[in-house]
Amino acid sequence: MTNEEAIKKIMDFLIGAYQMLIDGNIGNDEKDSYRNLIKVCETAKQALEKQIAKKPIFRYEKIGRENVCVSRCCPNPKCNNTSLGNNEYMFDYCEECGQKLDWGDER
């Protein structure tokens, strides 16, 4: 099973679990268990999403007549890391959030 397939299965489960809570199809004794299971599934989904490689965001500034890359930023919108490497070394994962990186032709 790929990460994408696992994320889809988790999302399908979460939709059903949320619907059961909303509809009141579970007893009060089970509500806390369902809420805890939902939190576990959401955490697992976030971890799986970070294992799907994403291209870093390159920020450029005009220096003289050239556009020069001044920072390589994490593609995870919740992360503010702007130092994912330099011309000599590029990290495979963001050091701050763990997002897997796809450098493509940059390496």
Side-chain angles (χ1 to χ4, degrees):
M1 177 182 306
T2 67
N3 288 340
E4 290 87 352
E5 291 168 337
I7 290 168
K8 179 164 182 357
K9 288 188 181 292
I10 290 171
M11 286 300 299
D12 291 343
F13 169 79
L14 286 172
I15 290 167
Y18 280 123
Q19 195 61 49
M20 288 182 74
L21 283 173
I22 291 168
D23 293 344
N25 292 340
I26 56 175
N28 289 332
D29 297 342
E30 297 174 305
K31 283 185 181 179
D32 285 339
S33 295
Y34 259 78
R35 288 185 182 114
N36 287 334
L37 185 56
I38 286 170
K39 287 179 187 176
V40 168
C41 288
E42 287 173 343
T43 301
K45 178 181 161 286
Q46 291 170 359
L48 285 169
E49 286 172 339
K50 286 184 182 180
Q51 294 306 308
I52 299 170
K54 295 181 182 169
K55 293 192 176 291
I57 299 166
F58 295 87
R59 296 227 171 99
Y60 294 88
E61 286 184 13
K62 191 160 184 96
I63 299 178
R65 292 183 173 177
E66 295 184 32
N67 283 325
V68 177
C69 181
V70 294
S71 62
R72 294 159 176 88
C73 306
C74 181
N76 181 345
K78 296 179 181 177
C79 182
N80 295 318
N81 190 356
T82 60
S83 58
L84 294 177
N86 55 40
N87 291 338
E88 295 175 20
Y89 184 78
M90 297 173 190
F91 301 115
D92 292 328
Y93 293 86
C94 175
E95 291 180 303
E96 290 187 21
C97 74
Q99 174 65 55
K100 187 174 184 178
L101 302 170
D102 173 10
W103 292 97
D105 295 336
E106 295 294 324
R107 286 195 174 217

